[in-house]
């Protein structure tokens, strides 16, 4: 039986200096850089050992990062990649998987104007209330993937009305919040759907597979539930909200 590991990246395999247990990044390996090529995220020896074990199996990242941000992670991923919160699936050649491309093209067309309007609405609230937030549509490979809102977590709470209205926009439209990050996700930006799509492809080629789902965030639970086993970091949003 072969093992396939679907894993989140940030706060699972890597984390920012602020979130490192020792508080200063000491004895932590740099595993991601920012746009200025400065150290941005780190991994412990245990995280790196776990990553290498997963990579000895078949490791597929499932991340909110876009391709540019994923390229700044030093960990290598040599097979499929689920990026942009599930909006895009890349094949081994880093091209959008052909069948997924057809789905994405059809479903994303109607959302560009909707996402642009929500960005305008959020920016208006930010200006009116003087919030310490920034907001934009994250696009990748020419497709609008989701809305990213970042800033003070207390200010994000002031957007509850926008978040509720967005979820009512369409069935399976969702809002993801973790710390200082909020994402407004159209229905096609769905990690669970992307993972299940890849599982069908993998099973068609090799029927005897065992799937592990790894993640730290409550929003990861959906795709993890599509796997045979779920693996959760001991320090995570899931362990704090669901297990304690």
């Amino acid at each position: 039986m072969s093992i396939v590991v679907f894993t989140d990246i940030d706060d699972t395999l890597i984390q920012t200096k602020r979130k490192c247990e020792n508080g200063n990044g000491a004895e932590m390996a740099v595993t991601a850089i920012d746009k200025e090529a400065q150290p941005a995220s780190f991994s412990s020896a245990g995280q790196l050992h776990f990553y290498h074990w997963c990579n000895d199996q078949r490791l597929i990242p499932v991340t909110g990062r876009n391709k540019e941000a994923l390229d700044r992670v030093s960990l290598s991923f040599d097979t499929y990649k689920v990026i942009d919160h599930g909006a895009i699936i890349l094949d081994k050649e880093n091209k959008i998987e052909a069948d997924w491309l057809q789905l994405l093209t059809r479903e994303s067309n109607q959302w560009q104007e909707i996402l642009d309007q929500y960005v305008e609405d959020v920016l208006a609230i930010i200006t009116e209330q003087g919030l310490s937030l920034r907001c934009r549509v994250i696009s990748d490979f020419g497709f609008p993937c989701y809305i990213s809102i970042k800033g003070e977590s207390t200010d994000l709470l002031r957007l509850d009305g926008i978040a509720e209205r967005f979820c009512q926009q369409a069935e399976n439209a969702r809002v993801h919040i973790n710390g200082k990050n909020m994402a407004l996700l159209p229905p096609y930006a769905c990690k669970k759907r992307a993972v299940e799509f890849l599982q069908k492809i993998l099973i068609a080629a090799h029927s005897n597979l065992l799937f592990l789902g790894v993640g730290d965030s409550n929003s990861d639970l959906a795709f993890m539930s599509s796997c045979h086993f779920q693996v959760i970091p001991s320090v995570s949003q899931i362990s704090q909200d669901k297990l304690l």
Side-chain angles (χ1 to χ4, degrees):
M1 177 173 286
S2 298
I3 297 175
V4 179
V5 183
F6 291 97
T7 181
D8 177 52
I9 297 178
D10 291 275
D11 296 328
T12 299
L13 299 179
I14 69 177
Q15 62 272 311
T16 62
K17 180 183 291 188
R18 180 178 61 85
K19 295 182 180 179
C20 294
E21 289 184 359
N22 56 24
N24 58 17
E27 300 181 359
M28 304 285 284
V30 176
T31 42
I33 57 175
D34 61 20
K35 293 181 179 180
E36 286 71 45
Q38 297 301 308
S41 295
F42 305 80
S43 296
S44 68
Q47 286 173 312
L48 289 176
H49 183 80
F50 180 69
Y51 158 76
H52 287 298
W53 178 85
C54 292
N55 222 19
D56 287 340
Q57 315 305 316
R58 186 168 188 175
L59 178 60
I60 298 176
V62 183
T63 178
R65 287 178 176 250
N66 61 12
K67 180 60 166 57
E68 179 185 356
L70 181 61
D71 286 343
R72 296 198 298 269
V73 177
S74 62
L75 306 179
S76 62
F77 305 101
D78 300 325
T79 181
Y80 293 105
K81 304 170 188 69
V82 176
I83 61 176
D84 296 291
H85 288 286
I88 289 179
I89 298 175
L90 299 180
D91 61 19
K92 298 176 183 178
E93 285 72 42
N94 287 319
K95 297 179 180 179
I96 300 180
E97 199 280 335
D99 291 335
W100 188 261
L101 178 59
Q102 295 183 27
L103 293 172
L104 179 62
T105 300
R106 182 173 66 250
E107 296 180 9
S108 65
N109 280 339
Q110 61 181 312
W111 277 88
Q112 181 70 70
E113 292 186 7
I114 296 173
L115 295 177
D116 288 342
Q117 183 59 58
Y118 269 91
V119 168
E120 288 187 21
D121 293 346
V122 172
L123 291 177
I125 294 174
I126 291 173
T127 300
E128 291 169 3
Q129 301 187 22
L131 304 180
S132 182
L133 299 173
R134 56 191 187 276
C135 173
R136 64 189 179 106
V137 174
I138 300 297
S139 296
D140 217 0
F141 295 86
F143 293 97
C145 295
Y146 64 96
I147 294 174
S148 170
I149 308 172
K150 295 184 177 184
E152 294 300 321
S153 55
T154 52
D155 285 351
L156 289 176
L157 297 176
R158 308 284 288 275
L159 300 178
D160 282 349
I162 284 283
E164 182 178 354
R165 177 157 60 90
F166 185 84
C167 290
Q168 296 172 351
Q169 187 73 47
E171 186 177 1
N172 297 324
R174 291 160 294 109
V175 175
H176 164 53
I177 302 176
N178 193 350
K180 296 185 176 183
N181 298 282
M182 174 186 287
L184 306 185
L185 306 171
Y188 56 86
C190 179
K191 289 182 176 181
K192 179 181 177 67
R193 184 187 182 198
V195 165
E196 291 178 349
F197 178 90
L198 285 178
Q199 286 175 334
K200 291 179 181 178
I201 292 177
L202 296 170
I203 290 172
H206 304 282
S207 59
N208 197 21
L209 296 175
L210 180 69
F211 296 117
L212 304 186
V214 187
D216 73 287
S217 172
N218 291 339
S219 66
D220 294 326
L221 285 170
F223 88 78
M224 293 165 65
S225 70
S226 296
C227 300
H228 296 105
F229 289 90
Q230 302 176 31
V231 182
I232 302 166
S234 58
V235 179
S236 65
Q237 186 185 53
I238 295 173
S239 62
Q240 179 178 346
D241 291 353
K242 306 296 183 181
L243 302 180
L244 297 181

